[in-house]
Amino acid sequence: MIQCFVKHAYEPVFTGENQPQLLYVSKIDPPESAYPRVMHSHKDHVELILVRSGMSNYFVGNRQRYICPGDLIVYNSGVMHDEAAWAEHEVSIYCLAIGGLSMPGLRRNALLPDSAAPVHSCKTCFPVLENLCEMMFDALCLGTSQSEKFAQALLEAFLIQILPVLTGAQPEPEPEEEHVLGERIRNYLDEHYMEPLDLPDIAADLHMSAPYLSHVFKRTFGYSPVNYLLRRRIGEAQTLLITTDLSITEIGERIGYETTSYFSTHFTKQVGMSPKKYRKTYVVRPEGS
């Protein structure tokens, strides 16, 4: 028999206002990764992506990021991201949503300083992290109060495993002048993306020529301004389809489409399925509702 003893007094990691709460766990395998959750952010929680297999380029915050198996991606609340923008291969991931975070020295619902790189290699602890994600997912699938408590305890174990990795996060390099200009353009697009904009309008408001604006933005973010606007609108539509009972017509109008058919055509092209099918696929309704 081999027996191991506890050698240190237990000190709770999460105390006071810092009470992380597991909101959901998603398991996405290669077939499902063909239907992306496009450009969006989360106002009130952190999202963690554990990459199990596949390689791709993701858009996180203000840059394209190359990701590979064993990587952990941290999306602080409010950080814009596009999960399958330049996918070279289908990917397999676990996604955790966590609210209630008040980490020392950080704004609420952030696991990293906003200036830190969001992609981290967790290859040394990856088997443990993957097992914890699988157990959380299975527990939430049971849907009982006891299984949800178990999943919550597993979340704390997951966070304890990754915090040492995140503590050593390096700050992003200082942006070049062209990137600063690209950020200025992006901020404008994020403020006005629901409005009926075209490239000449954007260029005029920013006092730039349309060709130069388009060149700078695409070099910085990998998208043309018009395509960025399109993905922002479709990402907002996905959020509304998942989180509200608004009709598809109302959602299309809210994000700037004059007709439902035009909205459905753009949505299907970007996501790979119609808005109606997307809502049916990704929203789990209680039995009998």
Side-chain angles (χ1 to χ4, degrees), residues 221-241:
F221 298 113
Y223 289 119
S224 70
V226 172
N227 198 25
Y228 181 88
L229 281 172
L230 172 62
R231 293 186 74 84
R232 282 289 278 117
R233 289 169 180 157
I234 297 303
E236 179 66 16
Q238 286 179 302
T239 298
L240 294 172
L241 286 166

Side-chain angles (χ1 to χ4, degrees), residues 50-150:
L50 183 67
V51 183
R52 302 164 63 208
S53 66
M55 294 175 287
S56 182
N57 284 308
Y58 279 23
F59 178 93
V60 188
N62 58 4
R63 300 176 190 271
Q64 298 179 40
R65 321 278 178 167
Y66 183 77
I67 61 97
C68 60
D71 281 350
L72 179 75
I73 310 172
V74 179
Y75 301 140
N76 283 344
S77 61
V79 172
M80 196 64 59
H81 53 283
D82 196 336
E83 297 173 357
W86 298 274
E88 299 163 2
H89 305 285
E90 293 179 329
V91 295
S92 174
I93 65 172
Y94 276 112
C95 172
L96 311 181
I98 308 165
L101 283 167
S102 293
M103 301 294 291
L106 300 176
R107 63 179 176 86
R108 186 160 178 82
N109 287 317
L111 261 179
L112 290 171
D114 290 317
S115 60
V119 181
H120 303 268
S121 176
C122 293
K123 290 182 179 178
T124 56
C125 58
F126 175 77
V128 173
L129 297 179
E130 185 177 33
N131 285 338
L132 287 169
C133 286
E134 183 176 4
M135 287 190 289
M136 281 186 273
F137 180 80
D138 290 343
L140 293 186
C141 285
L142 292 175
T144 67
S145 174
Q146 195 65 27
S147 65
E148 289 181 359
K149 289 179 182 178
F150 180 56

Side-chain angles (χ1 to χ4, degrees), residues 243-256:
T243 61
T244 76
D245 291 321
L246 291 172
S247 71
I248 291 170
T249 298
E250 289 174 311
I251 291 172
E253 290 174 350
R254 182 170 291 197
I255 63 170

Side-chain angles (χ1 to χ4, degrees), residues 163-178:
L163 285 177
V165 177
L166 301 184
T167 300
Q170 297 298 311
E172 297 275 43
E174 287 294 321
E176 299 177 357
E177 182 177 349
E178 188 176 83

